[in-house]
Amino acid sequence: MTAAPPAVRVGVDVGGTKVEAVAIDAAGGILARMRRETVRGEAGVIASVSDAVARVAAEPGVGPVAAVGIGIPGQIVGARVRNAVNLGISDLDLGGEVTAAVGAAVHVENDVNAAAAGAYAIRGAVGASMAYLNLGTGIAAGIVHDGRVWPGAGGTAGEVGHVSIDPRGPECPCGQRGCIETLAGGGAVARRWSGDGEHPVLDLFDAADAADGRALSLRGDLARGVAAAVRVLVLTADPAVVVIGGGVSRLGDRLLDVVRGELRASSERSAFLTSLRLHERIELLPSDAPAGALGAALLAPAFEGVARG
Ligand SMILES: [Zn+2]
């Protein structure tokens, strides 16, 4: 018998502007939580993550850290992060660098898959499967099946943002046209609405409520895109619930209402789609829930609960 390792794990969610960290105990309960700015660039991200780990570990009642999980955008190959364009990373051994800096085992995970694991833990009582649909600058989903995040053969599972639903639609950076992300991604919506405000999607919804024709049309596109993502997820993975999170989800019921309306309308002529009760399967992640950081912590090495499939 070997001695039990220290039970504390830290999860870090690396976003374009903020890094959020949580420390959890063996049961997955949150002991401490902190946020700081993200410094971009490879050295900046390593320093931001290492500092977040050190600061959350220094909180009262946390103590030595057994393992660290990191959720970060980009392609994840082992412990390396590739093509995280918004963070200024082209190819970085993030796991190796953070292990060297903090002296704990590190697991690196795609940010949306980490958030899916966190959303699953936060949601509780969800049945065998759940999908987490992240509506941020881009759109992607994580699929949790039998309590495990399902990454697919090459990490592409859940990339619903690049399902094309309009071959004549706007060009997508991925090379296709009319991807769901071009209609409903926060970045694309902000560019198309071209409002000057700090919260362009919120401004767009306000303008649509005030009956601005262009805003109504763009809000309709957004609802069609999100509804299509929900349909794709239900028809491929049949999750009991699709939990919607990400920056755009902070619109709350204003978002749910238009997406539910679109799901109902698009099911109207199909007894099959009606039978799936799509509009009843969607719900919002609580807006302040640290799903990404919690999920990253749960996916850190040696945790016995939700684990990477
Ligand atoms: Zn695309």
Side-chain angles (χ1 to χ4, degrees):
M1 289 273 292
T2 52
V8 174
R9 315 227 183 291
V10 169
V12 185
D13 180 46
V14 184
T17 56
K18 288 275 191 310
V19 171
E20 176 157 46
V22 301
I24 63 169
D25 60 22
I30 294 178
L31 300 168
R33 180 176 174 184
M34 68 83 60
R35 267 187 217 185
R36 52 153 289 152
E37 303 288 306
T38 304
V39 180
R40 298 185 196 197
E42 298 187 347
V45 169
I46 294 163
S48 302
V49 171
S50 303
D51 173 67
V53 173
R55 281 165 60 181
V56 82
E59 291 284 319
V62 177
V65 174
V68 174
I70 304 170
I72 187 166
Q75 282 176 283
I76 311 304
V77 183
R80 301 191 80 87
V81 182
R82 292 186 181 149
N83 304 318
V85 181
N86 291 337
L87 293 168
I89 292 174
S90 55
D91 184 6
L92 172 66
D93 179 14
L94 182 64
E97 296 285 354
V98 173
T99 295
V102 306
V106 174
H107 174 77
V108 182
E109 184 64 58
N110 170 268
D111 61 337
V112 175
N113 283 346
Y120 184 83
I122 289 164
R123 172 62 168 71
V126 77
S129 67
M130 188 205 86
Y132 169 72
L133 178 59
N134 193 71
L135 304 181
T137 307
I139 292 185
I143 296 161
V144 182
H145 184 67
D146 280 343
R148 287 170 181 265
V149 177
W150 182 52
T156 313
E159 290 286 355
V160 293
H162 295 290
V163 173
S164 170
I165 57 171
D166 180 1
R168 297 205 180 102
E171 278 183 32
C172 180
C174 80
Q176 305 184 89
R177 280 183 172 274
C179 289
I180 286 172
E181 192 166 296
T182 65
L183 298 175
V189 170
R191 277 193 299 280
R192 294 174 81 200
W193 173 240
S194 58
D196 296 328
E198 202 184 331
H199 303 290
V201 181
L202 181 61
D203 295 344
L204 166 68
F205 270 64
D206 287 345
D209 284 347
D212 177 291
R214 216 174 119 257
L216 282 167
S217 160
L218 290 177
R219 187 178 68 179
D221 282 351
L222 185 149
R224 278 198 300 132
V226 176
V230 171
R231 266 198 310 278
V232 168
L233 287 167
V234 171
L235 291 173
T236 52
D238 194 20
V241 176
V242 178
V243 176
I244 298 177
V248 172
S249 75
R250 288 195 208 105
L251 285 159
D253 286 339
R254 300 175 77 187
L255 174 73
L256 275 190
D257 287 349
V258 295
V259 174
R260 286 200 170 120
E262 181 62 34
L263 287 170
R264 273 199 211 91
S266 63
S267 300
E268 232 166 37
R269 292 184 190 168
S270 164
F272 170 54
L273 284 184
T274 300
S275 75
L276 300 178
R277 310 203 68 75
L278 296 166
H279 62 281
E280 292 178 4
R281 293 203 198 193
I282 60 172
E283 63 184 48
L284 292 176
L285 185 70
S287 63
D288 195 38
L294 175 61
L298 293 171
L299 294 167
F303 188 78
E304 300 281 319
V306 174
R308 195 172 200 276

